[in-house]
Amino acid sequence: MDTVRSETPERSALNGWHTLPSLPSLPEVFRSIPVPKSATFWRRLLAFVGPGYLVAVGYMDPGNWATDIGGGAAFAYRLLSVVLISSLMAVFLQALSAKLGIATGRDLAQACRDIYKKPVVIFLWLSAEIGIVACDIAEVIGAAIALNLLFHIPLAAGVILTGLDVLLLLALQHKGFRWIEGIVITLIATIMAVFCIELFYAHPSFHAVIAGFVPHRDIVQNAGMLYIALGILGATVMPHNLYLHSSVVQTRDFGESWEDKKDAVRMAQTDSFVALMLALFVNAAILILAAATFYRTGHHEITGIQDAYRMLTPLLGVSLATPLFAIGLLASGQNSTLTGTLAGQIILEGFLHIRIAPWLRRLISRGLAIVPAATAVILYGARGIDQLMLFSQVVLSMQLPLAVIPLIQITGDRRRMGPLVNGRIVQIVGVLLAVLIVVLNAWLIVTSLHGGH
């Protein structure tokens, strides 16, 4: 990402930027939610509650379920430390993303368009669009599986039906942004309730769970464990979430002074921290459920969502176990659909300044996801779906560094960030994290291509 535009005399007047901020992404909801400046901390925080939950959705989407299930079934609780580390990485990066949006009045896509040359901008845009489609594939597959499990709808038909969720989003957008946030939080609460009930029936080992959160050398010494660990690390932080968060924090009317912005950053980061801790709970709960149910009974070969669904009731002896699992999966897919649509709109408008109706944008990206998903179902059945789910996560892993590196670069630039620029320690941690992500994702891709596990 060293291809940056050359200096111009006018830069000082623009605080380090080449152009004045354009019309914001999601203009219909920009600064639409007031923040009471003289109110108590809790009332101001309440005004900021929402964007963090939209972001947290990406950390509990159907693409993460199979990896967590496979890790728990094969290695019991030992990969919980990887889930924890992934979540802490997410907290750090999303905090920078929110700060970028608040400090600059631009989302990450708009910021990239300003500072990089056109070929780099086009490359980053294409990369982000590929990431959106890859994420969509996981959502399509997850929703289709849930419909199949709950209502016995054939997988191919379920894949096609997922295209209709565009109507839901269109209806919600007309009601205002708080409605979208409310639906997302409700679906997250549904997923959490499902896993609280499942864990109650599974009776996991408390001491083994605590021990699982402590990293140990087996993770890097065991090739199979390392492969799943890299899958969790590589696919947990969704690249489109970094674009999404930098935009949706601007739905709050927090003021223009640096003091107002500093306060807004604190509130936004608190919101995302709490939401991402809930996402940590969900991911950990999926892995714990798999460990307590499948690993404990010797079913180490369980790797897919459908296998897990079929085995839950026989192993737990509770008839509610399987429908609850499917309900959680359906809620997860629908949540990811809502946030994926918003991210797609932000990426298209931010990089290219092209504005199209949200429903049309959604229809295009969902169509691009339905074609490969339907093809895999028709030609290869359930086995094809599992392979496509894994492939979509690998593709997402490839896109992640292309969002993280610009984020670290821009938030570390004092001319553009002003007083909210990253401190030295934060910047060093960011650079090391970017290097780690690049290395881990490169290793994940290599091992995936060569069947490393």
Side-chain angles (χ1 to χ4, degrees), residues 75-376:
F75 304 110
Y77 306 97
R78 284 176 284 179
L79 289 176
L80 281 172
S81 60
V82 180
V83 174
L84 175 61
I85 292 168
S86 301
S87 297
L88 295 177
M89 289 167 51
V91 167
F92 180 85
L93 291 171
Q94 295 299 162
L96 295 189
S97 176
K99 185 168 70 170
L100 169 66
I102 292 169
T104 69
R106 305 166 193 256
D107 58 58
L108 180 57
Q110 292 171 332
C112 289
R113 178 185 171 89
D114 182 274
I115 71 169
Y116 296 124
K117 293 180 180 179
K118 189 172 183 179
V120 177
V121 171
I122 296 299
F123 175 71
L124 291 175
W125 167 68
L126 288 173
S127 165
E129 290 290 357
I130 291 170
I132 288 287
V133 173
C135 189
D136 241 9
I137 287 173
E139 294 159 13
V140 165
I141 292 172
I145 292 174
L147 291 172
N148 174 257
L149 299 178
L150 284 171
F151 307 112
H152 306 292
I153 296 173
L155 288 174
V159 166
I160 303 302
L161 281 174
T162 58
L164 297 178
D165 60 23
V166 115
L167 301 176
L168 172 64
L169 183 72
L170 189 62
L172 287 174
Q173 282 188 322
H174 284 305
K175 288 184 171 292
F177 204 71
R178 276 297 201 188
W179 273 86
I180 294 177
E181 292 175 344
I183 292 293
V184 164
I185 292 172
T186 301
L187 291 173
I188 290 176
T190 301
I191 298 168
M192 292 186 63
V194 163
F195 280 105
C196 284
I197 296 170
E198 299 275 20
L199 290 178
F200 174 78
Y201 289 125
H203 302 294
S205 167
F206 176 77
H207 295 294
V209 168
I210 298 300
F213 283 108
V214 180
H216 50 87
R217 66 181 67 180
D218 286 355
I219 294 174
V220 294
Q221 291 177 339
N222 183 309
M225 196 182 299
L226 177 62
Y227 181 81
I228 295 180
L230 290 173
I232 294 171
L233 278 169
T236 293
V237 184
M238 295 291 185
H240 70 268
N241 267 344
L242 302 178
Y243 295 101
L244 176 68
H245 205 179
S246 61
S247 177
V248 294
V249 292
Q250 298 181 57
T251 58
R252 271 55 184 175
D253 188 9
F254 45 77
E256 292 298 332
S257 73
W258 285 113
E259 282 306 312
D260 289 336
K261 290 181 178 181
K262 286 180 181 178
D263 185 64
V265 167
R266 285 192 293 269
M267 299 299 165
Q269 292 180 348
T270 302
D271 169 52
S272 64
F273 176 80
V274 173
L276 290 172
M277 288 301 99
L278 297 181
L280 166 62
F281 168 81
V282 170
N283 278 312
I286 297 170
L287 193 146
I288 292 168
L289 177 66
T293 306
F294 307 132
Y295 182 86
R296 187 170 62 190
T297 56
H299 293 83
H300 302 164
E301 75 289 350
I302 302 292
T303 57
I305 293 173
Q306 295 180 89
D307 290 339
Y309 174 87
R310 283 192 291 269
M311 296 299 293
L312 274 176
T313 288
L315 294 177
L316 290 178
V318 180
S319 59
L320 275 177
T322 46
L324 282 174
F325 183 84
I327 289 169
L329 180 62
L330 187 60
S332 172
Q334 288 307 304
N335 243 353
S336 301
T337 286
L338 293 174
T339 58
T341 300
L342 294 173
Q345 185 178 344
I346 291 161
I347 287 167
L348 184 67
E349 294 179 1
F351 277 117
L352 302 186
H353 287 183
I354 295 176
R355 299 184 182 276
I356 60 176
W359 67 267
L360 180 59
R361 175 68 182 79
R362 184 58 184 167
L363 206 57
I364 293 170
S365 66
R366 180 47 58 102
L368 291 173
I370 285 175
V371 171
T375 302

